[in-house]
Amino acid sequence: MNMLQSNLSKNLREHGYDLLGGPIRSYKLLQLWLKVPANPIELYYAHINHAFESKKSLEVSENSALKVSSRYKNEYMFNMGMSLLEPLLSAFGLGNLSLETLINSGKSISISYEGSESEELVMGSLENYLHQADYLHPNPSLFSHANKDQILLISGVLWAKNLVITIETDIEISPSLILKLDKKTDGKLNTFKKNDKVLKLVSEGKMPFPIAVKANRLHFDKGHFKGSNLVTDNRSLF
């Protein structure tokens, strides 16, 4: 198996979350996304209130049972891990870091996060909201997509303050390599030498950023809301 350990993904899936891997980090609670068959998922409305209006309010809470620390990690063989790092680091403005030019061989790479917090929609309030909702204005496109079950609602967002990357190389890590990395990352990643062949990079942690999302598909029948179902507990949509 190429993935050595994946308890980060497993832990998030158990809570209904899809781990984000790409550079897009603009996910927010209550966004509406569109998933048309054979097309990639795309942002539809920045907030549910931009599409619907209702006399009922939506309630938000924190999932106190969901905490992510560096003991939860996804570990990969070296080249696979390097392939994942470029889009991930782009989220921190480090898409041109080109780590593979500084470290071109090794054994494994692990990705983890620290300092997590979450916000989730109380699903009962969504039911009340949509059962009494109308469109904000006449909207044939919304009516069509809704009745085809093509609308997903971001119902949870997990944030973290630190990205933690651990690289096990097959060469001895020199002080000059750490200096080169510090210069290229421009202070956005702190570089540590764990031992002679293991390097640890930690993001600066000034602002929390989304690392995983929970989404529900909304079901309508002839314009009437019928319910929703969680889709991010077993699919990688984001």
Side-chain angles (χ1 to χ4, degrees), residues 172-182 191 193 196 199:
E172 188 168 326
I173 298 166
S174 65
S176 63
L177 173 60
I178 293 178
L179 286 173
K180 287 177 183 177
L181 283 168
D182 285 339
T191 308
K193 180 180 175 181
D196 287 345
L199 197 64

Side-chain angles (χ1 to χ4, degrees), residues 35-82:
K35 182 63 182 81
V36 177
N39 290 349
I41 193 167
E42 59 181 310
L43 181 63
Y44 193 37
Y45 283 97
H47 195 284
I48 191 173
N49 286 342
H50 297 171
F52 297 92
E53 60 180 356
S54 176
K55 294 179 180 179
K56 296 294 184 179
S57 59
L58 294 166
E59 300 173 27
V60 176
S61 66
E62 181 180 1
N63 185 343
S64 58
L66 177 57
K67 296 293 182 184
V68 171
S69 66
S70 56
R71 72 188 181 95
Y72 293 104
K73 63 182 179 180
N74 281 357
E75 191 173 14
Y76 304 89
M77 300 295 284
F78 181 82
N79 287 322
M80 183 180 287
M82 278 293 183

Side-chain angles (χ1 to χ4, degrees), residues 61-216:
S61 66
E62 181 180 1
N63 185 343
S64 58
L66 177 57
K67 296 293 182 184
V68 171
S69 66
S70 56
R71 72 188 181 95
Y72 293 104
K73 63 182 179 180
N74 281 357
E75 191 173 14
Y76 304 89
M77 300 295 284
F78 181 82
N79 287 322
M80 183 180 287
M82 278 293 183
S83 302
L84 292 171
L85 285 184
E86 184 175 342
L88 184 59
L89 290 171
S90 293
F92 297 86
L94 294 169
N96 297 321
L97 183 57
S98 300
L99 266 178
E100 70 277 4
T101 64
L102 298 174
I103 309 170
N104 54 29
S105 64
K107 294 183 178 180
S108 66
I109 292 176
S110 70
I111 298 170
S112 59
Y113 297 92
E114 294 176 337
S116 68
E117 55 190 60
S118 65
E119 55 177 357
E120 292 187 0
L121 177 65
V122 177
M123 296 310 295
S125 72
L126 174 68
E127 303 280 327
N128 294 333
Y129 175 96
L130 285 175
H131 276 305
Q132 299 193 35
D134 190 7
Y135 297 161
L136 202 58
H137 53 75
N139 197 331
S141 170
L142 177 59
F143 186 87
S144 175
H145 289 306
N147 284 286
K148 293 175 182 176
D149 296 340
Q150 294 174 346
I151 298 176
L152 306 183
L153 170 73
I154 300 293
S155 54
V157 180
L158 180 65
W159 306 73
K161 290 185 177 179
N162 298 103
L163 165 68
V164 182
I165 300 167
T166 304
I167 303 175
E168 184 178 359
T169 72
D170 52 13
I171 59 171
E172 188 168 326
I173 298 166
S174 65
S176 63
L177 173 60
I178 293 178
L179 286 173
K180 287 177 183 177
L181 283 168
D182 285 339
K183 185 176 180 179
K184 292 197 75 170
T185 60
D186 194 27
K188 294 178 181 177
L189 290 175
N190 297 312
T191 308
F192 306 93
K193 180 180 175 181
K194 288 188 69 176
N195 60 46
D196 287 345
K197 294 187 177 181
V198 177
L199 197 64
K200 185 175 181 180
L201 298 92
V202 183
S203 65
E204 57 187 345
K206 290 183 179 179
M207 291 290 293
F209 53 92
I211 64 168
V213 295
K214 176 188 283 190
N216 284 65

Side-chain angles (χ1 to χ4, degrees), residues 10-23:
K10 183 176 183 294
N11 179 47
L12 293 176
R13 286 280 169 84
E14 288 174 352
H15 288 272
Y17 280 81
D18 182 13
L19 179 66
L20 302 175

